[in-house]
Amino acid sequence: MTVAGNGAPGLGAPENVSRQKQSDSSVMDGSSSSKVTVEYHDPSGLFPLVQEQLNTRLPLRNLHWKSPTRPLRSIDSLHVDLIPSKDSVHISGVTSPGLAPPEGPQGAQNPPSTEINRPASKERRHQIPGLRQTPYLKVYLLRCDDSDTYKSNARKQLREWVKAHTPPSQSSSSSSTQENHDAFEWMIIHVVIPDTPAASQPRGTVASNAATGEKEKPSGTSRWTRGTTTILEKIRADFNISSKSAPDRVAQIRLEKGVVPPHMLPVTTSSVTSPPISESPQEQERVWNDVITKFKTLILLSFDLRVSQYEEDIREKDSQRALPGWNFCTFFILKEGLARGFESVGLVEDALLGYDELSVGLDSILRDQANDGGQGQGGVILDHSEDLFEQTSEILKRSQKDDGGRKEPQPHIHNERPINSHKKDYRGLILSNNISVFDFRSYIFGRQMSLLLRLGNSHSSRTDLATKLQPRPSASVIKRSVDDSGVGIKSTASPGDSEDLLSLSELCTRALNFITFGGRLLRDDLMNGAKAHEVEFPSRLIDNLVRSWTFAALQQVLNETATASLPFTRFLKDTSTSSSDKMRSFGNHVEEQKVSVAEPKTMIHPTRSSSLNAGRSVSAEPAYAQPVGQVVFENGQYQDRPAPNQESTLPQTKSGQQDLAGTRAQLHVVQRRTLEQIGKSLGWSIGWAAILSTLSQKEELSDVDLNGKSSSDKEESDDNEDAPTPTSPTIGISAAAIVNAVSTIDQFRQYYETLSDLIVKHYMAAGQIKSGESVLGDLAALRFELGDYAAAAMYFGRMASLFAESRWNTVETTMLKMYAQCLKKLNRKDEYVRTLLDILAKSAGSRIASRSSSKRASILKVLPASKDWLDDDNVDTTGVFEDLVDFSEQLPYDMNVPMVKYFGDIAVEPYVRHFDKKDGFQLRLQFRHVLEDEIDIRKAKVRLVSATPGQGKDIWLQSSDAIRLQKGVCREWVGSNVNITGPYMVDKILLEAKRIVFVHEPIAKAAETTPLGLPTPVSATTLKAVKQSRVACFPRIEAFQARLHLSHFIHIDKPRHIEINFSSGWNDIQHLEVRLKAGTAGLRLHTASATVASGDATIIKKSNPGVIEIGNMSADTTATLTVPYDLESLLPDLTIKLEVEYFTENGQFQFYSSFTIPVELPLDVNVHDHFKNESLYSKFNIKTANHVPLEILDVTLEDSEEFEVSAPKKPKGSVHVFPKQPVSITYKIAKKPVEVITRRPSRTSIGSLALAVEYRCLDEDVLGRARELFTLAVENSPVHRLARLLIPSFTERLENRILPHQFEKVTLLDKIDLGAFEDLGWSDVIDSLPHIVRDDTRVWLQKWHENNKSILLPQTSDSIPSTLGTAPTSPSRRIIITVSIPQTHILHTASLTLKSPEHASSHSSTIVVAGQPLAAELSIRHTRRWGSPSSLVELANITSPSDPIEFVYTIEANPDIWLVAGQRRAHFTAREGEEQKYQIMLIPLKVGNALLPNIEIRPKIAPKEDRKRESQGQGKVEGENERVEELNCEVDYLSYGECVMVIPDVRSSTVGIGEMGSPRSAVWLETTGRQM
């Protein structure tokens, strides 16, 4: 142990220096064994008897130490090294219980080898405290068989031993504080031998107190009561300190008889007066737990005293830093003693913190020393090491021999473990102030590395500890570590389950910083040493020494941090090191495994758990290690606490695996860089260096020399010419891996590849994918250098996805060139072409970016040096583009690539240009060619899609000839022989260069909806691109035109038709194909029934569905084609796509358009019928079906074979029908005289008529007349070439401006208010025009609007000629509606005539007297002419139509008004044409106007017997749901609405005439008789 026990080699008195040097290695091993020393004094040879019990209870577990200045520290396990004192007795040959005593006298064995490390008791103390290995606890093993022996001998021996070993804490001398550096405690264990009087003595309260863990208070009466006090109580009373805070230092152990050898048992037992007391296993376990508890308590007491003393000394020394004579080295040893004390008890984090503070202190001293010129405060640290200079001089001397020193062992400055705190006597050098900066830092980092390895529980740390815990070769059983059994068990457990990867990662990070810094320190050390001795070392020698040391140090750290969590780091065979041997499991105790679950690292290392190791896994204790209680040492006292609940925990998931892999990868990267530097010194270029040197000479893909000789030979020849050196290129290189790697160029490349592969694996495990892929590029360059193109291509393939989308520098572009050459040699055509495309994309991208920033660069006035840096991505690709296009012919398919990666400023001018002598249009495509090569473009294409969804068809425009691309802006016209009208957008641009097709889509495709169903927002860039790519397409005014509309003639009972109007324009059409496609569900077009309605055209073929072929049409001719259709369901409108393909002498042309036509009838007609005996009166009401007015031109009801129609007089001119003002027309329909027998019996009705209505929709009429006016103005204006664009736009805007209810005003006034130019929104139309005609068009439209703010419509559209060759804009429509004559079987004409002619008046109503009877005659005439004879026979149950039928008439009169006398209800029979008359009497009852009574006549039909039976039988089965037709009988009552005036019955009246108010002057007149 170091300062706290096992700390350092024992630097004792001067006379012991030689002994220390001889056993330096063993002492250093013990210094890091992490065990506290407990010395036992065994004068009776009892230790072998209790050794086995101790073995099962060590190491100590769950120790808790609390210092006033520190937080609570928990030590999970603490190993104990039990060593005998000088005076201990060992019985030779007693190695286990039950063995026979040895022959010969008893005596102590020769001192063990470890005792040479322990100074004698009288040894002079060193001036630097804590440099001796002193025990924490001294134990006296007492054998006292009876009380007499205790009184006579044992008490005296104990008193002398206790007096000699009284710890400083119990001494009152002034020197006690100095002795606290080696503070220890003492303890007495009374071992009771069976069959002795002591074995018969009871424990009394001791056992119970031990079981509960309480401290027994010594009883004052037990000392003086003779015969009642046991030996244990006497020892307690004699030697325990009577203080409440003092610990109990006495324990008793009873041995089993089978454990004690026979020669140690008493010879006779006569003195035993009572039987021996037997203890149960539970009691024995409690006793041993009491012993272990006392061990913990006393060790923590000693440790606390030592730590307190060291902290006090450190504070004192630190406060003297500014005083003269203060030395940092002495302070370092003092503070390091505290750190080693923490390490010895398992407080590794505290120890590591101490070394970190010392490292910072060393930095401060070195900084002060550099500022003060080497005379800094705290001592001078040497700038070089003498041993390094001597070793380097020897290396140089050997290399300058004739044979290069090859026959002799090669000297070196380091071994396989250059970072080793045991490599030198570093602490001796520090004490003597004779240490260099390099050695000082190496020592500190070596200690830090060992601590971090312990924290990480690395495999090497466990191996070293297991070696130190094994029995020493020169030691006997007694000197064997008592907890070795607990170590061997762990050999079979998986060590990776308990490794702390975060600590190992931190070690790698620190090692990376130290080794890179240590290399510079080593270089300065060598140069300063040579300068001090006035010699000069070759620079190659110094470089090789530094590189060798750096490589070996890195390899050491990598070996130490190998872990099973990263499988590729374990069992890596390296011929230069023996690290693979250290990977084997330590110990050979596989058969001693106790548990199946891997136990934690606390089984081996003393560890503690506190806030400092937060985040590290904590595993469960094994079953045998669970303590009864915990000992917590706090503030100089100990406390017993109950044991916490032990819960089993599963091994935690390993943390820090990615961090460890990443830091190890960085170490490998430094190793590889070191190897590259060594190879460069040998003239060997590898990887990128070799490839770039080849490509820099000639910027093209060329073969690489795989021998590796030309470049190295040239460099060697240059070196020989410049300054020949006698030293070997590998002088000073001693790392075995490098020596083997630089033996040949093949070995060099192989080792370089091995390191690169390890780096890739580490980076991938760390999740640093891009870093790993960058190393894959190095491997690819290496394989390319070796000519292994398949392997190089494999590495490049893994990186293709990364490099395809990122911006590359010059090296990455070179990588693509190499990759392309590999693929070409492997005949992988597809990948070769794609790689060349990537190279070109890199070059084109940099050029496009540099062009966009050229203005900014000119403003900033960039310096030439910065320009070169900015042009790092600008690579020369001359010839690559041409090779790509030529090689693409070997591809079996076209390869589409994004055009934007290779060309800049891609755009299509959105202005249409028409051909001069044929239909169609052109657009101009422009782009910038930024590469050097001139290539041929076979064809350029542009695709247009309709801006209205679902309307129109995709249009392809293409160039007419091949294009030769040259660097700069390229402009090319692309055309199409298609006539289209409407807004379109540029959807795709194609450039075909043999098999390479460059594709550009100006409008980015985005998902229509999000996963939640929300619409995807459109970016501003997309909206701008849509606006820029919008093209307003329209044909020339002379071009072919077609228009589709609903037929103007509709017969309601016949299939409806659509009409297609063709106008050939200036085309002499040889052949024409019409294709119709229904865009509405349920629409069927019967193209097979198509006919030519008008015009000079002939249908050639119409057998194919939807296709109609028409023959030739000369120029300036029109034709109309009629196609019937039907619908599955009623729809308001139809969508039909029309495609016309016509052939002329100039080639093939197409016409595309989509039409939406309304099919709902704009008018509604209903009829009301009134039957008379000889005729039928029908009233037709015509009204609008919507809010648009109609103009009725003519209405006719045509005669039929059976009926004659009498029409009213027609009005002059047309009649307007408004939504609230319908039109009514009444016709008289009479039946023609046709005999009944000549009727066709198959007809079920008596006939039907046809109502023909000729009308015009006023919205179409108004828009048509306005269109004609605007058309006439356009055709006679300078913008007549834009007629096909302006006229439809004007019509569409005007239709949207006039609302349906405004057509009434327009119709009545024949006037339209157009408003201002801005009101119609011409801006979109004008913006779609080329700039050259845009202003002229705007000026003309503004002028026309100023002159036509309100336009008067002409009366007819036929009066205005049109050059478009189409039909009149708004022709009249004609519809024929079939009007069925209603059927009534029987008609009675009834009349009620009053027989009082004297009272009748021709101009007034008949006057009757109330109460006076009136004679009346009821006349009923019968006819059957309005019904079907067959149905009449069927329903009236008569045999023939002329048979009489029985009826019943009823006079319906209000009883309050009329009193009817006579036959009010009577039965009668009638035949065709018969008239019945009945006399009745009517008496008026109420004065006033009274309507004549109403007459109701009903047939009385008696059912036949057979029909009755049929209705009872099968009638129910055949048609229960069918409506049974009844006999229809109507009455034409002629007296309906006639009324009479009923007056009261007044016989006389008197009238007086005179002045008002004077009755005497009145004249009275009297009348007689009734006055009418």
Side-chain angles (χ1 to χ4, degrees), residues 77 90 142 399 424 430 586 661 698 881 991 1021 1025 1308 1334 1372 1380 1427 1505:
S77 64
H90 171 58
L142 173 64
S399 65
K424 299 180 183 179
I430 295 173
F586 56 89
K698 191 175 183 180
F881 205 170
L991 293 181
T1021 305
L1308 296 175
R1334 185 178 298 178
S1372 61
S1380 298
E1505 294 298 330

Side-chain angles (χ1 to χ4, degrees), residues 913-966:
R913 188 181 79 168
H914 298 106
F915 293 108
D916 293 335
K917 296 181 180 180
K918 64 177 182 178
D919 293 353
F921 66 97
Q922 292 177 303
L923 294 175
R924 188 162 68 173
L925 168 67
Q926 69 176 19
F927 54 91
R928 183 177 298 277
H929 181 41
V930 297
L931 299 176
E932 297 87 352
D933 297 346
E934 296 183 3
I935 61 172
D936 292 329
I937 298 297
R938 180 180 59 190
K939 191 179 298 183
K941 293 183 178 181
V942 175
R943 184 175 72 179
L944 300 180
V945 296
S946 177
T948 305
Q951 303 292 329
K953 186 178 181 181
D954 297 349
I955 308 300
W956 281 99
L957 296 88
Q958 64 182 15
S959 58
S960 57
D961 300 323
I963 308 171
R964 181 69 178 179
L965 290 187
Q966 296 180 352

Side-chain angles (χ1 to χ4, degrees), residues 131 236 265 1232 1403 1556 1568:
L131 294 181
R236 287 178 183 271
L265 296 174
K1232 293 180 179 181
H1403 59 274
M1556 296 181 60
T1568 59

Side-chain angles (χ1 to χ4, degrees), residues 172-307:
S172 60
S173 62
S174 60
S175 61
S176 63
T177 56
Q178 294 297 328
E179 293 299 328
N180 280 344
H181 293 99
D182 299 326
F184 63 90
E185 293 290 341
W186 58 270
M187 179 180 176
I188 301 174
I189 299 179
H190 181 209
V191 182
V192 179
I193 305 299
D195 298 337
T196 60
S200 302
Q201 295 180 358
R203 292 181 181 272
T205 60
V206 177
S208 62
N209 290 339
T212 59
E214 298 178 355
K215 299 184 294 294
E216 179 190 6
K217 298 181 181 179
S219 174
T221 59
S222 61
R223 294 186 177 183
W224 317 111
T225 305
R226 183 179 302 276
T228 60
T229 305
T230 63
I231 298 176
L232 178 61
E233 291 176 343
K234 291 179 181 181
I235 298 174
R236 287 178 183 271
D238 292 339
F239 298 100
N240 269 345
I241 300 176
S242 57
S243 174
K244 294 182 179 180
S245 61
D248 185 9
R249 304 175 186 273
V250 181
Q252 185 183 74
I253 298 174
R254 297 175 183 266
L255 300 179
E256 298 289 337
K257 189 171 183 179
V259 178
V260 182
H263 67 278
M264 297 186 67
L265 296 174
V267 179
T268 176
T269 60
S270 59
S271 61
V272 179
T273 58
S274 60
I277 297 176
S278 61
E279 292 182 341
S280 63
Q282 292 78 9
E283 292 176 341
Q284 293 180 2
E285 185 66 24
R286 284 196 294 268
V287 170
W288 276 106
N289 288 337
D290 178 61
V291 173
I292 297 301
T293 302
K294 289 180 171 58
F295 266 52
K296 297 179 183 179
T297 302
L298 298 175
I299 289 175
L300 289 178
L301 280 171
S302 303
F303 177 70
D304 185 69
L305 288 173
R306 296 187 183 198
V307 171

Side-chain angles (χ1 to χ4, degrees), residues 33 240 306 334 452 458 471 554 574 587 789 933 939 946 984 1090 1126 1231 1307 1357:
S33 62
N240 269 345
R306 296 187 183 198
L334 178 64
L452 286 171
S458 66
L554 292 169
D574 190 349
Y789 299 112
D933 297 346
K939 191 179 298 183
S946 177
Y984 280 76
D1126 59 15
K1231 205 166 189 180
T1307 302
S1357 59

Side-chain angles (χ1 to χ4, degrees), residues 88 97 152 477 559 665 1049 1130 1137 1150 1315:
S88 297
S152 60
V477 177
N559 293 338
F1049 174 76
L1130 295 179
K1137 295 180 180 180
Q1150 294 87 26

